[in-house]
Amino acid sequence: MQNAGIAALGLDWRYLAADVEAARLREAVDGAAAMKFIGVNLTVPHKLLAMEFVEELDETARVWGAVNTIRFEGRLDEGWTPLARLPIDYEGPVRTHGFNTDADAIIRSLNEDLGIDPRGARVVLLGAGGAGRVAALRLAAEGVGELFLVNRTVEKAESVRAEIGERYPAVNCHVGYPKERHADLLLNATSFGLRPEDGSPLDEDAFPIDGASRVYDMIYRPAETPFLKRAREAGVRTANGLGMLLYQGVKALEIWSGRPAPVETMRAALQANVYGPTD
Ligand code: ATR
């Protein structure tokens, strides 16, 4: 996805994957800065660790408490400028600037892939782990009407509800399934559904799948989890998490390059990479 986007922008960059031990993350990021990398993406568990040491935290990283995108910046006159905009022979200090592009990608994907505006919506959210917590907070920030948090370990859902109560007191947030069996959106943010032997994370005795107008699963591989299959067979409009992956990457490329990213090129590359060529 990133290499396709980079090529379409005509940039002479490469996007590479590297497996870094958590204990050596700082060294790896310092090394990337020393090599004048444009930026890096981070995934679990590095997103939380990077909060501790990036030199500048963007508002998005501060608010959502995780860094998934770093931009390296050099000193130009009195300010800091992305390395992408500095001459190739720049010599001088390089600082790390941390961003979060995951949280907004949830909202964009719900909007573009399912036609959902979370404002005022009634949402049932399954999962209160890392992904579930950010989804809950981001939906609360968007002004969701009512939010029902469901998690196998109830204490984690309670703790997310407490955080929402403090940060977004106007949001009507509950732990457990709603008694009235309808919702605008049923969203799976658990990891249950990733493995072939997994079933659906939804307790259908507590909430019928067709009680939701729309169903979203953050899992994108397999493309259709048992949960999404149940929803589709019940006639509910569905989407998987590929859109979230796409839009966090789109935003990251825009942060690094300072230019609009070629979304459709990146989407096609991502789909081909994750699901195989379609023709
Ligand atoms: P992530 O970063 O993907 O959110 P995580 O923080 O480990 O990863 O969270 C995983 C989520 O999936 C949690 O909500 C977890 O429930 P618990 O908090 O009770 O552990 C949920 N999950 C994982 N396996 C599950 C299963 N078999 N049934 C129900 N929920 C499950």
Side-chain angles (χ1 to χ4, degrees):
M1 155 173 76
Q2 291 294 358
N3 282 320
I6 285 165
L9 289 179
L11 295 164
D12 182 20
W13 302 353
R14 298 291 180 277
Y15 189 90
L16 306 166
D19 199 357
V20 175
E21 287 168 44
R24 305 194 66 181
L25 176 64
R26 179 120 202 216
E27 269 178 85
V29 171
D30 285 346
M35 289 186 286
K36 295 185 217 161
F37 274 36
I38 301 294
V40 293
N41 276 139
L42 306 172
T43 190
V44 176
H46 303 318
K47 294 185 201 189
L48 296 180
L49 301 173
M51 287 288 294
E52 309 297 318
F53 66 81
V54 292
E55 287 147 281
E56 181 71 19
L57 276 178
D58 182 69
E59 169 86 5
T60 52
R62 207 169 311 125
V63 171
W64 310 119
V67 171
N68 79 317
T69 302
I70 291 177
R71 182 172 72 192
F72 295 108
E73 298 173 344
R75 198 123 180 109
L76 182 71
D77 305 324
E78 291 311 298
W80 292 94
T81 300
L83 284 190
R85 291 222 299 273
L86 289 173
I88 196 84
D89 57 358
Y90 167 79
E91 281 182 7
V94 173
R95 78 163 185 186
T96 47
H97 192 162
F99 299 78
N100 182 299
T101 70
D102 289 327
D104 286 356
I106 299 172
I107 301 300
R108 185 163 174 191
S109 182
L110 289 175
N111 193 268
E112 297 196 18
D113 302 330
L114 280 183
I116 285 180
D117 176 0
R119 201 149 314 158
R122 190 174 151 91
V123 178
V124 178
L125 174 63
L126 310 178
R133 174 183 163 274
V134 171
L137 290 169
R138 186 66 188 81
L139 285 164
E142 202 64 21
V144 72
E146 268 192 295
L147 188 55
F148 297 86
L149 304 177
V150 177
N151 200 50
R152 177 179 58 182
T153 313
V154 177
E155 297 74 42
K156 280 202 230 165
E158 296 282 4
S159 131
V160 173
R161 184 181 61 170
E163 193 176 355
I164 288 178
E166 267 172 37
R167 291 174 63 176
Y168 305 100
V171 170
N172 201 340
C173 184
H174 319 265
V175 169
Y177 288 101
K179 289 198 180 58
E180 288 162 53
R181 297 172 152 222
H182 68 88
D184 299 305
L185 171 66
L186 172 60
L187 197 165
N188 178 39
T190 75
S191 51
F192 193 57
L194 274 173
R195 292 167 307 177
E197 66 271 24
D198 285 352
S200 162
L202 178 70
D203 175 0
E204 290 199 53
D205 291 333
F207 190 87
I209 198 143
D210 60 0
S213 313
R214 306 268 196 281
V215 167
Y216 191 96
D217 198 333
M218 286 198 182
I219 297 172
Y220 57 86
R221 193 158 34 202
E224 191 176 63
T225 56
F227 173 64
L228 280 191
K229 183 161 184 281
R230 283 280 304 137
R232 179 176 54 81
E233 287 171 352
V236 181
R237 186 167 161 196
T238 63
N240 73 16
L242 201 77
M244 270 180 61
L245 180 61
L246 170 67
Y247 296 124
Q248 65 74 32
V250 161
K251 185 68 190 173
L253 184 55
E254 292 177 344
I255 286 169
W256 296 320
S257 69
R259 293 164 55 186
V263 180
E264 293 317 315
T265 301
M266 292 175 75
R267 188 195 307 275
L270 180 60
Q271 276 169 347
N273 204 271
V274 175
Y275 303 128
T278 46
D279 48 4

